């Protein structure tokens, strides 16, 4: 428990995993003997968050093969996802009604750490809207519709956005209610939802270069390497 505030983690596990290939959805692919989703759920289970809401369309599989098998008692609710990511988040938010703060995380990011989670909790109580990310290492080009470079932003101002993304519950619920009503195009993360509301700036806080999202086979092999190094 973090004082009198209730902190809830909403973990999304509804991706199709098409870019991974194969028949198994990526969140259930085995990574060193455990389903990919296990790692992020375990991080929140061992953290100070009070409750975990899991959003997935494979409720029975998740409950039997991960939640109950690994005794993750902080997972109190498993709710269905929507067609779009923002719909899945909204479904999770509706089940977090008694929360003061929420941390929204992609279950396909297995290397979230307790340090990152603690940083999110501490910063969100100050700023109300925080997004985990890391500065880019390479030069970034903004291109036009024909693929020609039109602008090169200063690298020190460009971040790769990760999750968790942390918000005060009233703020993020209000923002998502507006998005659900108006359905603007191009919403790809929760920070953009708050930016669309235009009531609060989003604070960028440090994540980790290892906090990768498993999207392609190359990511999977990178994750294996990270786990090998961690074991050593």
């Amino acid at each position: 428990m973090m004082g009198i505030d209730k902190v809830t983690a909403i973990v999304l596990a509804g991706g199709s995993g098409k870019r991974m290939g194969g028949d198994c959805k990526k969140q259930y692919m085995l990574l060193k003997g455990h389903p990919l989703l296990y790692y992020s759920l375990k991080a929140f289970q061992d953290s100070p968050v009070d409750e975990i809401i899991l959003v997935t369309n494979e409720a029975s599989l998740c409950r039997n093969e991960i939640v109950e098998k690994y005794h993750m008692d902080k997972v109190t609710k498993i709710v269905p996802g929507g067609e779009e990511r923002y719909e899945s988040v909204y479904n999770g938010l509706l089940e977090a009604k008694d929360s003061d703060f929420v941390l929204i995380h992609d279950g396909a990011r297995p290397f979230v750490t307790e340090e990152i989670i603690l940083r999110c909790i501490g910063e969100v109580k100050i700023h109300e809207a925080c997004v985990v990310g890391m500065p880019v290492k390479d030069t970034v080009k903004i291109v036009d519709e024909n693929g020609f470079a039109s602008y090169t932003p200063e690298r020190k101002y460009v971040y790769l956005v990760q999750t968790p993304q942390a918000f005060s519950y009233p703020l993020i619920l209000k923002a998502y209610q507006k998005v659900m009503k108006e359905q603007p195009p191009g919403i790809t993360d929760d920070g953009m939802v708050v930016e669309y509301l235009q009531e609060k700036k989003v604070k960028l806080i440090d994540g980790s270069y290892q906090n990768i999202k498993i999207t392609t086979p190359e990511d999977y092999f990178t994750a294996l390497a990270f786990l090998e190094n961690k074991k050593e």
Side-chain angles (χ1 to χ4, degrees), residues 4 28 138 140 173 214:
I4 61 173
Y28 310 114
D138 301 317
V140 173
L173 180 64
I214 309 302

Side-chain angles (χ1 to χ4, degrees), residues 22-209:
D23 298 325
C24 181
K25 292 185 177 181
K26 64 182 178 184
Q27 54 266 39
Y28 310 114
M29 293 178 63
L30 291 182
L31 187 64
K32 284 294 180 181
H34 294 96
L36 178 64
L37 180 60
Y38 159 86
Y39 292 95
S40 54
L41 288 179
K42 183 70 163 59
F44 286 105
Q45 172 72 29
D46 294 343
S47 79
V49 304
D50 302 295
E51 179 183 27
I52 302 169
I53 296 173
L54 178 58
V55 183
T56 178
N57 290 319
E58 306 285 347
S60 296
L61 178 61
C62 282
R63 183 179 293 109
N64 296 333
E65 297 300 321
I66 302 177
V67 175
E68 293 181 356
K69 182 176 181 179
Y70 297 106
H71 310 292
M72 296 186 180
D73 55 10
K74 286 187 179 180
V75 179
T76 59
K77 299 168 186 172
I78 302 178
V79 301
E83 290 188 12
E84 301 293 337
R85 184 187 186 279
Y86 68 85
E87 295 173 321
S88 296
V89 175
Y90 186 64
N91 290 349
L93 287 172
L94 292 179
E95 296 297 325
K97 296 174 183 176
D98 58 346
S99 303
D100 297 290
F101 300 96
V102 293
L103 277 62
I104 303 169
H105 185 67
D106 291 323
R109 290 187 186 271
F111 298 116
V112 60
T113 64
E114 183 176 6
E115 181 183 7
I116 293 174
I117 295 170
L118 287 172
R119 192 179 302 132
C120 284
I121 294 173
E123 293 290 329
V124 74
K125 292 183 178 183
I126 300 170
H127 302 289
E128 294 189 60
C130 298
V131 169
V132 168
M134 293 299 288
V136 298
K137 297 179 180 180
D138 301 317
T139 297
V140 173
K141 297 285 186 183
I142 307 300
V143 301
D144 61 21
E145 62 275 10
N146 297 313
F148 290 97
S150 61
Y151 175 58
T152 305
E154 283 193 65
R155 193 162 56 186
K156 65 180 179 179
Y157 296 125
V158 182
Y159 273 64
L160 294 173
V161 172
Q162 305 172 348
T163 64
Q165 301 191 6
F167 308 92
S168 73
Y169 181 72
L171 174 68
I172 193 65
L173 180 64
K174 183 178 180 181
Y176 262 96
Q177 286 171 337
K178 182 176 182 179
V179 163
M180 292 297 294
K181 180 180 179 181
E182 300 179 5
Q183 296 192 356
I187 296 291
T188 57
D189 82 320
D190 311 297
M192 288 181 69
V193 175
V194 172
E195 291 162 16
Y196 184 73
L197 184 65
Q198 296 184 334
E199 288 188 6
K200 196 76 180 178
K201 284 188 175 182
V202 177
K203 175 72 172 179
L204 266 291
I205 60 176
D206 285 345
S208 165
Y209 287 114

